[in-house]
PDB file of all heavy atoms in Angstrom:
ATOM      1  N   ASN A 298       7.193   1.733  -2.268  1.00 98.00           N
ATOM      2  CA  ASN A 298       7.199   2.823  -1.283  1.00 98.00           C
ATOM      3  C   ASN A 298       8.659   3.205  -1.046  1.00 98.00           C
ATOM      4  O   ASN A 298       9.391   2.484  -0.381  1.00 98.00           O
ATOM      5  CB  ASN A 298       6.543   2.305   0.008  1.00 98.00           C
ATOM      6  CG  ASN A 298       6.627   3.300   1.145  1.00 98.00           C
ATOM      7  OD1 ASN A 298       7.001   4.461   0.949  1.00 98.00           O
ATOM      8  ND2 ASN A 298       6.278   2.847   2.349  1.00 98.00           N
ATOM      9  N   LYS A 300       9.811   5.527   0.666  1.00 98.00           N
ATOM     10  CA  LYS A 300      10.037   6.067   2.027  1.00 98.00           C
ATOM     11  C   LYS A 300      10.906   7.320   1.955  1.00 98.00           C
ATOM     12  O   LYS A 300      10.802   8.093   1.002  1.00 98.00           O
ATOM     13  CB  LYS A 300      10.629   4.990   2.936  1.00 98.00           C
ATOM     14  CG  LYS A 300       9.789   3.702   2.919  1.00 98.00           C
ATOM     15  CD  LYS A 300      10.154   2.711   3.990  1.00 98.00           C
ATOM     16  CE  LYS A 300       9.264   1.479   3.883  1.00 98.00           C
ATOM     17  NZ  LYS A 300       9.524   0.488   4.909  1.00 98.00           N
ATOM     18  N   HIS A 386       0.688   3.590   7.227  1.00 98.00           N
ATOM     19  CA  HIS A 386       1.898   2.764   7.247  1.00 98.00           C
ATOM     20  C   HIS A 386       2.391   2.614   8.685  1.00 98.00           C
ATOM     21  O   HIS A 386       2.303   3.550   9.483  1.00 98.00           O
ATOM     22  CB  HIS A 386       2.983   3.395   6.366  1.00 98.00           C
ATOM     23  CG  HIS A 386       4.124   2.460   6.141  1.00 98.00           C
ATOM     24  ND1 HIS A 386       5.121   2.281   7.073  1.00 98.00           N
ATOM     25  CD2 HIS A 386       4.387   1.609   5.124  1.00 98.00           C
ATOM     26  CE1 HIS A 386       5.954   1.362   6.612  1.00 98.00           C
ATOM     27  NE2 HIS A 386       5.534   0.937   5.447  1.00 98.00           N
ATOM     28  N   GLU A 388       5.192   2.763   9.961  1.00 97.00           N
ATOM     29  CA  GLU A 388       6.170   3.783  10.395  1.00 97.00           C
ATOM     30  C   GLU A 388       5.466   5.078  10.770  1.00 97.00           C
ATOM     31  O   GLU A 388       5.901   5.796  11.672  1.00 97.00           O
ATOM     32  CB  GLU A 388       7.216   4.001   9.277  1.00 97.00           C
ATOM     33  CG  GLU A 388       8.175   2.812   9.200  1.00 97.00           C
ATOM     34  CD  GLU A 388       8.663   2.474   7.799  1.00 97.00           C
ATOM     35  OE1 GLU A 388       8.591   3.336   6.909  1.00 97.00           O
ATOM     36  OE2 GLU A 388       9.107   1.323   7.599  1.00 97.00           O
ATOM     37  N   GLU A 458       0.682  -5.635   6.357  1.00 97.00           N
ATOM     38  CA  GLU A 458       2.133  -5.579   6.550  1.00 97.00           C
ATOM     39  C   GLU A 458       2.477  -5.921   7.993  1.00 97.00           C
ATOM     40  O   GLU A 458       2.438  -5.052   8.868  1.00 97.00           O
ATOM     41  CB  GLU A 458       2.644  -4.170   6.244  1.00 97.00           C
ATOM     42  CG  GLU A 458       2.365  -3.720   4.829  1.00 97.00           C
ATOM     43  CD  GLU A 458       3.335  -2.621   4.390  1.00 97.00           C
ATOM     44  OE1 GLU A 458       3.340  -1.549   5.011  1.00 97.00           O
ATOM     45  OE2 GLU A 458       4.094  -2.872   3.453  1.00 97.00           O
ATOM     46  N   ALA A 462       7.956  -7.976   9.836  1.00 92.00           N
ATOM     47  CA  ALA A 462       8.555  -8.345   8.546  1.00 92.00           C
ATOM     48  C   ALA A 462       9.017  -7.125   7.750  1.00 92.00           C
ATOM     49  O   ALA A 462       9.610  -7.277   6.691  1.00 92.00           O
ATOM     50  CB  ALA A 462       7.551  -9.145   7.718  1.00 92.00           C
ATOM     51  N   ILE A 463       8.753  -5.921   8.245  1.00 89.00           N
ATOM     52  CA  ILE A 463       9.081  -4.725   7.466  1.00 89.00           C
ATOM     53  C   ILE A 463      10.543  -4.332   7.661  1.00 89.00           C
ATOM     54  O   ILE A 463      10.968  -4.028   8.782  1.00 89.00           O
ATOM     55  CB  ILE A 463       8.164  -3.530   7.844  1.00 89.00           C
ATOM     56  CG1 ILE A 463       6.719  -3.864   7.475  1.00 89.00           C
ATOM     57  CG2 ILE A 463       8.624  -2.253   7.135  1.00 89.00           C
ATOM     58  CD1 ILE A 463       5.732  -2.781   7.826  1.00 89.00           C
ATOM     59  N   GLY A 464      11.287  -4.367   6.575  1.00 85.00           N
ATOM     60  CA  GLY A 464      12.683  -3.938   6.603  1.00 85.00           C
ATOM     61  C   GLY A 464      13.590  -4.850   7.421  1.00 85.00           C
ATOM     62  O   GLY A 464      14.738  -4.527   7.681  1.00 85.00           O
ATOM     63  N   GLY A 503       6.289  -6.469   3.449  1.00 95.00           N
ATOM     64  CA  GLY A 503       7.228  -6.889   4.490  1.00 95.00           C
ATOM     65  C   GLY A 503       8.306  -7.754   3.876  1.00 95.00           C
ATOM     66  O   GLY A 503       8.096  -8.960   3.674  1.00 95.00           O
ATOM     67  N   SER A 504       9.442  -7.109   3.504  1.00 93.00           N
ATOM     68  CA  SER A 504      10.586  -7.826   2.954  1.00 93.00           C
ATOM     69  C   SER A 504      10.257  -8.673   1.722  1.00 93.00           C
ATOM     70  O   SER A 504      10.800  -9.769   1.548  1.00 93.00           O
ATOM     71  CB  SER A 504      11.262  -8.684   4.038  1.00 93.00           C
ATOM     72  OG  SER A 504      11.742  -7.857   5.087  1.00 93.00           O
ATOM     73  N   VAL A 505       9.361  -8.154   0.870  1.00 96.00           N
ATOM     74  CA  VAL A 505       9.132  -8.832  -0.404  1.00 96.00           C
ATOM     75  C   VAL A 505      10.320  -8.530  -1.308  1.00 96.00           C
ATOM     76  O   VAL A 505      10.764  -7.385  -1.403  1.00 96.00           O
ATOM     77  CB  VAL A 505       7.841  -8.325  -1.095  1.00 96.00           C
ATOM     78  CG1 VAL A 505       7.645  -9.029  -2.440  1.00 96.00           C
ATOM     79  CG2 VAL A 505       6.629  -8.532  -0.199  1.00 96.00           C
ATOM     80  N   LEU A 523       3.217  -4.375  -1.400  1.00 98.00           N
ATOM     81  CA  LEU A 523       3.707  -3.023  -1.117  1.00 98.00           C
ATOM     82  C   LEU A 523       5.172  -3.218  -0.738  1.00 98.00           C
ATOM     83  O   LEU A 523       5.492  -3.930   0.227  1.00 98.00           O
ATOM     84  CB  LEU A 523       2.917  -2.383   0.023  1.00 98.00           C
ATOM     85  CG  LEU A 523       3.316  -0.943   0.393  1.00 98.00           C
ATOM     86  CD1 LEU A 523       3.236  -0.013  -0.800  1.00 98.00           C
ATOM     87  CD2 LEU A 523       2.404  -0.415   1.511  1.00 98.00           C
ATOM     88  N   ILE A 524       6.033  -2.616  -1.531  1.00 98.00           N
ATOM     89  CA  ILE A 524       7.441  -2.959  -1.478  1.00 98.00           C
ATOM     90  C   ILE A 524       8.268  -1.786  -0.985  1.00 98.00           C
ATOM     91  O   ILE A 524       8.181  -0.688  -1.546  1.00 98.00           O
ATOM     92  CB  ILE A 524       7.965  -3.321  -2.899  1.00 98.00           C
ATOM     93  CG1 ILE A 524       6.934  -4.123  -3.719  1.00 98.00           C
ATOM     94  CG2 ILE A 524       9.306  -4.024  -2.828  1.00 98.00           C
ATOM     95  CD1 ILE A 524       6.603  -5.475  -3.203  1.00 98.00           C
ATOM     96  N   GLY A 525       9.092  -1.993   0.011  1.00 97.00           N
ATOM     97  CA  GLY A 525       9.993  -0.941   0.482  1.00 97.00           C
ATOM     98  C   GLY A 525      11.362  -1.106  -0.149  1.00 97.00           C
ATOM     99  O   GLY A 525      11.619  -0.670  -1.271  1.00 97.00           O
ATOM    100  N   GLY A 526      12.262  -1.765   0.558  1.00 97.00           N
ATOM    101  CA  GLY A 526      13.661  -1.909   0.142  1.00 97.00           C
ATOM    102  C   GLY A 526      13.856  -2.310  -1.314  1.00 97.00           C
ATOM    103  O   GLY A 526      14.649  -1.690  -2.042  1.00 97.00           O
TER     104      GLY A 526
HETATM  105  P1  PGA B 730      10.198  -3.565   3.120  1.00 90.82           P
HETATM  106  O1  PGA B 730       9.090  -2.444   3.450  1.00 90.82           O
HETATM  107  O2  PGA B 730       9.823  -4.135   1.782  1.00 90.82           O
HETATM  108  O3  PGA B 730      11.486  -2.825   3.094  1.00 90.82           O
HETATM  109  O4  PGA B 730      10.121  -4.566   4.214  1.00 90.82           O
HETATM  110  C1  PGA B 730       7.743  -2.680   3.164  1.00 90.82           C
HETATM  111  C2  PGA B 730       6.926  -1.480   3.553  1.00 90.82           C
HETATM  112  O5  PGA B 730       7.244  -0.852   4.565  1.00 90.82           O
HETATM  113  O6  PGA B 730       5.931  -1.148   2.868  1.00 90.82           O
END
Side-chain angles (χ1 to χ4, degrees):
N298 174 10
K300 307 192 180 182
H386 191 279
E388 287 146 20
E458 300 203 298
I463 296 179
S504 299
V505 179
L523 181 56
I524 321 295

